[in-house]
Amino acid sequence: MEAFNNYKSADWRTGFESKLTVESSLPYEDYTGHIERSGNDQHQYRLIRLPNNLTALCVQDIDAKEAAASLSVNIGSNANPAELLGLAHFLEHMLFL
């Protein structure tokens, strides 16, 4: 557990610059710091944060023939209210329909 506590991770409160989308003028934040990657990795990376605090890592692969998305929800069945057991599982199915 000590190794986990010493892990150097990004400071999510700093390193973001406020911007607006071009067409709709919607607010978002663009990460201006360094994103570490392999020297063999030719992909373009961009980290953005939306006003609702959703943070997305966008990866551009010009050779890709399909688009994909991945979502990590940092909550589970231990967070279910006592009167709504199974809520997390139900919402999981709503996310991945």
Side-chain angles (χ1 to χ4, degrees):
M1 189 67 167
E2 186 174 325
F4 178 77
N5 292 334
N6 291 331
Y7 178 72
K8 188 175 181 180
S9 61
D11 182 353
W12 295 105
R13 295 166 294 186
T14 61
F16 285 89
E17 177 182 317
S18 295
K19 294 187 174 185
L20 297 173
T21 59
V22 176
E23 291 184 20
S24 305
S25 295
L26 297 173
Y28 71 97
E29 295 177 324
D30 205 357
Y31 183 67
T32 58
H34 173 72
I35 298 175
E36 188 173 340
R37 60 189 180 131
S38 165
N40 297 324
D41 188 352
Q42 300 301 313
H43 298 106
Q44 299 282 330
Y45 290 86
R46 186 171 172 201
L47 186 66
I48 62 170
R49 181 169 50 205
L50 303 179
N52 65 356
N53 254 356
L54 185 136
T55 303
L57 177 64
C58 304
V59 183
Q60 181 183 14
D61 180 354
I62 59 171
D63 296 324
K65 297 190 181 1
E66 296 179 354
S70 177
L71 177 67
S72 175
V73 180
N74 196 19
I75 199 153
S77 61
N78 289 339
N80 280 335
E83 66 276 6
L84 293 172
L85 296 178
L87 180 64
H89 189 82
F90 173 69
L91 293 176
E92 174 190 355
H93 285 276
M94 291 186 70
L95 284 171
F96 302 110
L97 282 178

mmCIF file of all heavy atoms in Angstrom, residues 19-29 50-51:
data_model
loop_
_atom_site.group_PDB
_atom_site.id
_atom_site.type_symbol
_atom_site.label_atom_id
_atom_site.label_comp_id
_atom_site.label_asym_id
_atom_site.label_seq_id
_atom_site.Cartn_x
_atom_site.Cartn_y
_atom_site.Cartn_z
ATOM 1 N N LYS A 19 -11.050 27.303 -21.772
ATOM 2 C CA LYS A 19 -11.278 27.612 -23.187
ATOM 3 C C LYS A 19 -12.765 27.505 -23.499
ATOM 4 O O LYS A 19 -13.544 27.050 -22.673
ATOM 5 C CB LYS A 19 -10.495 26.643 -24.078
ATOM 6 C CG LYS A 19 -8.994 26.777 -23.958
ATOM 7 C CD LYS A 19 -8.301 25.926 -24.986
ATOM 8 C CE LYS A 19 -6.808 26.183 -24.944
ATOM 9 N NZ LYS A 19 -6.111 25.471 -26.013
ATOM 10 N N LEU A 20 -13.129 27.900 -24.721
ATOM 11 C CA LEU A 20 -14.494 27.769 -25.221
ATOM 12 C C LEU A 20 -14.459 27.028 -26.546
ATOM 13 O O LEU A 20 -13.539 27.212 -27.348
ATOM 14 C CB LEU A 20 -15.139 29.141 -25.427
ATOM 15 C CG LEU A 20 -15.323 30.018 -24.196
ATOM 16 C CD1 LEU A 20 -15.814 31.403 -24.600
ATOM 17 C CD2 LEU A 20 -16.289 29.374 -23.226
ATOM 18 N N THR A 21 -15.473 26.182 -26.788
ATOM 19 C CA THR A 21 -15.541 25.504 -28.081
ATOM 20 C C THR A 21 -15.764 26.543 -29.177
ATOM 21 O O THR A 21 -16.341 27.605 -28.935
ATOM 22 C CB THR A 21 -16.671 24.460 -28.115
ATOM 23 O OG1 THR A 21 -17.911 25.112 -27.861
ATOM 24 C CG2 THR A 21 -16.437 23.360 -27.111
ATOM 25 N N VAL A 22 -15.321 26.238 -30.384
ATOM 26 C CA VAL A 22 -15.354 27.199 -31.477
ATOM 27 C C VAL A 22 -16.776 27.541 -31.908
ATOM 28 O O VAL A 22 -17.161 28.703 -31.945
ATOM 29 C CB VAL A 22 -14.546 26.667 -32.690
ATOM 30 C CG1 VAL A 22 -14.658 27.611 -33.876
ATOM 31 C CG2 VAL A 22 -13.098 26.467 -32.304
ATOM 32 N N GLU A 23 -17.588 26.534 -32.199
ATOM 33 C CA GLU A 23 -18.909 26.800 -32.772
ATOM 34 C C GLU A 23 -19.952 27.221 -31.749
ATOM 35 O O GLU A 23 -20.742 28.117 -31.993
ATOM 36 C CB GLU A 23 -19.399 25.567 -33.530
ATOM 37 C CG GLU A 23 -18.604 25.314 -34.789
ATOM 38 C CD GLU A 23 -19.153 24.159 -35.592
ATOM 39 O OE1 GLU A 23 -20.329 23.795 -35.395
ATOM 40 O OE2 GLU A 23 -18.406 23.630 -36.421
ATOM 41 N N SER A 24 -19.959 26.577 -30.572
ATOM 42 C CA SER A 24 -21.037 26.811 -29.607
ATOM 43 C C SER A 24 -20.626 27.646 -28.399
ATOM 44 O O SER A 24 -21.457 27.947 -27.562
ATOM 45 C CB SER A 24 -21.574 25.473 -29.106
ATOM 46 O OG SER A 24 -21.977 24.673 -30.187
ATOM 47 N N SER A 25 -19.361 27.993 -28.301
ATOM 48 C CA SER A 25 -18.829 28.747 -27.167
ATOM 49 C C SER A 25 -19.118 28.070 -25.825
ATOM 50 O O SER A 25 -19.417 28.717 -24.838
ATOM 51 C CB SER A 25 -19.385 30.176 -27.152
ATOM 52 O OG SER A 25 -18.933 30.871 -28.283
ATOM 53 N N LEU A 26 -19.035 26.718 -25.807
ATOM 54 C CA LEU A 26 -19.231 25.972 -24.562
ATOM 55 C C LEU A 26 -17.894 25.900 -23.815
ATOM 56 O O LEU A 26 -16.847 25.699 -24.416
ATOM 57 C CB LEU A 26 -19.741 24.564 -24.863
ATOM 58 C CG LEU A 26 -21.099 24.497 -25.548
ATOM 59 C CD1 LEU A 26 -21.420 23.068 -25.958
ATOM 60 C CD2 LEU A 26 -22.175 25.037 -24.628
ATOM 61 N N PRO A 27 -17.927 26.057 -22.493
ATOM 62 C CA PRO A 27 -16.672 26.065 -21.733
ATOM 63 C C PRO A 27 -16.099 24.667 -21.526
ATOM 64 O O PRO A 27 -16.832 23.684 -21.424
ATOM 65 C CB PRO A 27 -17.093 26.676 -20.391
ATOM 66 C CG PRO A 27 -18.530 26.308 -20.255
ATOM 67 C CD PRO A 27 -19.085 26.301 -21.648
ATOM 68 N N TYR A 28 -14.788 24.585 -21.483
ATOM 69 C CA TYR A 28 -14.063 23.365 -21.116
ATOM 70 C C TYR A 28 -12.661 23.785 -20.707
ATOM 71 O O TYR A 28 -12.274 24.944 -20.867
ATOM 72 C CB TYR A 28 -14.034 22.348 -22.264
ATOM 73 C CG TYR A 28 -13.149 22.735 -23.428
ATOM 74 C CD1 TYR A 28 -11.854 22.232 -23.533
ATOM 75 C CD2 TYR A 28 -13.583 23.601 -24.423
ATOM 76 C CE1 TYR A 28 -11.025 22.585 -24.599
ATOM 77 C CE2 TYR A 28 -12.777 23.945 -25.477
ATOM 78 C CZ TYR A 28 -11.497 23.438 -25.567
ATOM 79 O OH TYR A 28 -10.691 23.783 -26.610
ATOM 80 N N GLU A 29 -11.905 22.856 -20.161
ATOM 81 C CA GLU A 29 -10.527 23.136 -19.776
ATOM 82 C C GLU A 29 -9.608 22.187 -20.525
ATOM 83 O O GLU A 29 -9.911 20.997 -20.674
ATOM 84 C CB GLU A 29 -10.337 22.955 -18.270
ATOM 85 C CG GLU A 29 -11.124 23.963 -17.459
ATOM 86 C CD GLU A 29 -10.990 23.718 -15.969
ATOM 87 O OE1 GLU A 29 -10.929 22.545 -15.545
ATOM 88 O OE2 GLU A 29 -10.935 24.706 -15.229
ATOM 89 N N LEU A 50 -14.489 18.818 -18.572
ATOM 90 C CA LEU A 50 -15.747 19.527 -18.823
ATOM 91 C C LEU A 50 -16.227 20.213 -17.550
ATOM 92 O O LEU A 50 -15.756 19.903 -16.448
ATOM 93 C CB LEU A 50 -16.796 18.542 -19.331
ATOM 94 C CG LEU A 50 -16.402 17.777 -20.597
ATOM 95 C CD1 LEU A 50 -17.511 16.811 -20.992
ATOM 96 C CD2 LEU A 50 -16.068 18.722 -21.727
ATOM 97 N N PRO A 51 -17.187 21.154 -17.656
ATOM 98 C CA PRO A 51 -17.673 21.862 -16.473
ATOM 99 C C PRO A 51 -18.243 20.945 -15.383
ATOM 100 O O PRO A 51 -18.224 21.300 -14.205
ATOM 101 C CB PRO A 51 -18.768 22.778 -17.027
ATOM 102 C CG PRO A 51 -18.385 22.999 -18.443
ATOM 103 C CD PRO A 51 -17.765 21.702 -18.883
#
